[in-house]
Amino acid sequence: PLQPGQCLTIEPGLYIPDLEPQFGALRGIGVRIEDDIVVTEQGCHVLSAAAPVAIGEVEGLVGVA
């Protein structure tokens, strides 16, 4: 079981194969959104909660893709 103070990362990802022509311009890309979590006595706390995830917010930080 998880214990208070332990940290973990939740990392869902989407990867579009480069082999399928129906994906067009999206062929061969991968997207991963991560959340860093710390277990607390009351449950959990999402350490990355303030990190931008909306396209406009991310592009504002790193530039347009």
Side-chain angles (χ1 to χ4, degrees):
L2 296 173
Q3 301 294 319
Q6 291 178 321
C7 296
L8 57 140
T9 301
I10 311 293
E11 302 181 18
L14 172 68
Y15 298 92
I16 299 180
D18 197 18
L19 308 172
E20 305 294 332
Q22 70 266 28
F23 293 121
L26 299 177
R27 288 174 47 201
I29 69 163
V31 177
R32 193 168 204 74
I33 299 175
E34 299 180 8
D35 275 319
D36 297 315
I37 312 292
V38 63
V39 179
T40 67
E41 292 286 344
Q42 295 76 33
C44 68
H45 175 69
V46 181
L47 298 171
S48 52
V53 294
I55 293 170
E57 294 173 321
V58 173
E59 287 179 346
L61 287 174
V62 300
V64 177

